[in-house]
Amino acid sequence: MNIGMIEAAAGRLKGHVVRTPLLSSPFLDEIAGRRVLVKPECLQPTGSFKLRGGWSALSALPPDARAKGVIAFSSGNHAQGVAFAARAMGAPCVILMPSDAPRVKIDNTRALGAEVVLYDRATGDRDAIGAALAEERGLTLVKPFDEPLVIAGQGTTGLEIAEQSAEAGVTAGDVLVPCGGGGLSSGIALALEARSPGLRARTVEPEGFDDVARSLASGKIERNARMTGTICDAIVTPSPGEITFPILSRLCGPGIAVSEDEAMAAMAAAFNRLHIVLEPGGAVALAAALYRAGEVAGEAVIVVASGGNVDPAIHRKAMERFGDA
């Protein structure tokens, strides 16, 4: 992985993904006790940053491989990113999704033209199932995070942050990133290293599923004890990737973990103050900025709001509980 790969991905993505802005609100600044700049990747056509990695990977495939089709496994956001890119490029697409994924994500993936195959997240081996389907049908597997072309696509977020933060007068401080397997965090970290070295990427996860934070602390890859039981489904993975973890270890500060209540409060704050919709996993970085200020460095903090594909009932619950905050 290197900055050249990220810049090449940016060229392939131009005109196909949204260059999301940096949003701010004095109300959020007051809660956090510092300036807060939020990059709303929920505004991508598929509702999350995952379109960047999906488009990067598919656009780099040889035409004959793309014509045979692709397969991906995802709880929903990577699924939609790959499905969107596949439909635009005329490639067959199979998506392996956990059966407990939010219904809106399953329905949206099907609506994008993908064939959805469901599996049990607690008992099924998605890697084995995906590998078998790929071999049987001659499909190219597009991994959700531990794939250089995907990381390069996600890293384009970091190129934009480097440019936009400089325009906003912020050249030092933490960049908080929701983290599952580390594709977005590692891509952003590499981009910042090359383009804005005063900014430091920080991973944010839900409590009880903080494998990356524990891995960064121990210096070796740690695994989550369970894969279910959190509303932050979008960023639950078994462990950081073999490719992503060395990048995270070299470039990122200590990981942060937030509670589900903090994530839901951040969802309500984002809706009330920025007028954007976030899913729980996509709101954890904002939660860290607002409610874990003592763990964050700098006079300003940049937050990646990574996705907005939320089940309506969960968003309604967040607003009912925290909408007056």
Side-chain angles (χ1 to χ4, degrees):
M1 291 303 309
N2 57 66
I3 188 63
M5 295 176 65
I6 298 173
E7 291 172 336
R12 296 195 304 276
L13 268 60
K14 190 173 183 179
H16 302 289
V17 303
V18 175
R19 188 179 189 270
T20 54
L22 288 184
L23 305 178
S24 63
S25 162
F27 299 100
L28 300 184
D29 294 352
E30 183 176 357
I31 295 171
R34 55 166 57 89
R35 190 178 179 194
V36 179
L37 300 174
V38 179
K39 190 163 181 63
E41 284 295 293
C42 53
L43 300 182
Q44 294 295 345
T46 60
S48 92
F49 75 95
K50 290 286 192 176
L51 176 59
R52 295 176 185 267
W55 194 282
S56 173
L58 266 72
S59 62
L61 283 178
D64 57 339
R66 195 160 54 234
K68 291 179 181 177
V70 296
I71 183 172
F73 38 81
S74 165
S75 64
N77 287 333
H78 179 60
Q80 292 173 73
V82 171
F84 183 99
R87 184 174 69 173
M89 299 178 197
C93 180
V94 177
I95 302 293
L96 184 61
M97 299 184 72
S99 55
D100 64 345
R103 176 55 54 181
V104 64
K105 294 183 179 181
I106 295 174
D107 291 344
N108 286 350
T109 303
R110 286 181 171 142
L112 288 168
E115 175 189 347
V116 174
V117 177
L118 300 176
Y119 75 100
D120 188 314
R121 192 200 300 256
T123 61
D125 184 338
R126 70 177 187 179
D127 293 328
I129 297 169
L133 282 170
E135 182 176 358
E136 175 186 338
R137 304 191 190 185
L139 305 172
T140 297
L141 175 63
V142 182
K143 294 180 180 179
F145 55 85
D146 218 27
E147 158 57 51
L149 289 170
V150 169
I151 297 171
Q154 320 304 28
T156 62
T157 314
L159 293 180
E160 294 175 14
I161 289 172
E163 295 172 357
Q164 294 166 323
S165 61
E167 293 168 359
V170 178
T171 57
D174 285 344
V175 177
L176 307 183
V177 188
C179 187
L184 178 62
S185 304
S186 60
I188 287 176
L190 286 168
L192 295 179
E193 177 189 34
R195 296 288 175 261
S196 188
L199 297 176
R200 175 180 65 164
R202 301 282 304 279
T203 64
V204 186
E205 300 165 283
E207 290 177 343
F209 299 85
D210 58 345
D211 51 294
V212 174
R214 289 184 286 109
S215 298
L216 291 173
S218 70
K220 62 181 182 180
I221 291 179
E222 307 283 355
R223 297 183 64 86
N224 281 320
R226 55 196 173 100
M227 289 294 293
T228 59
T230 176
I231 59 172
C232 300
D233 62 284
I235 54 173
V236 174
T237 55
S239 62
E242 296 289 341
I243 297 174
T244 61
F245 180 61
I247 300 170
L248 300 176
S249 296
R250 184 170 67 85
L251 296 177
C252 293
I256 302 172
V258 300
S259 70
E260 288 192 356
D261 278 356
E262 288 170 330
M264 294 179 74
M267 291 167 60
F271 187 81
N272 286 336
R273 306 307 182 186
L274 299 175
H275 313 296
I276 58 174
V277 173
L278 298 181
E279 60 194 287
V284 295
L286 180 58
L290 298 180
Y291 313 121
R292 300 296 179 98
E295 300 179 50
V296 179
E299 295 182 359
V301 61
I302 298 171
V303 170
V304 178
S306 58
N309 293 312
V310 61
D311 185 293
I314 292 178
H315 195 268
R316 185 164 54 250
K317 181 179 179 181
M319 295 307 299
E320 289 171 351
R321 292 187 60 193
F322 302 103
D324 294 333

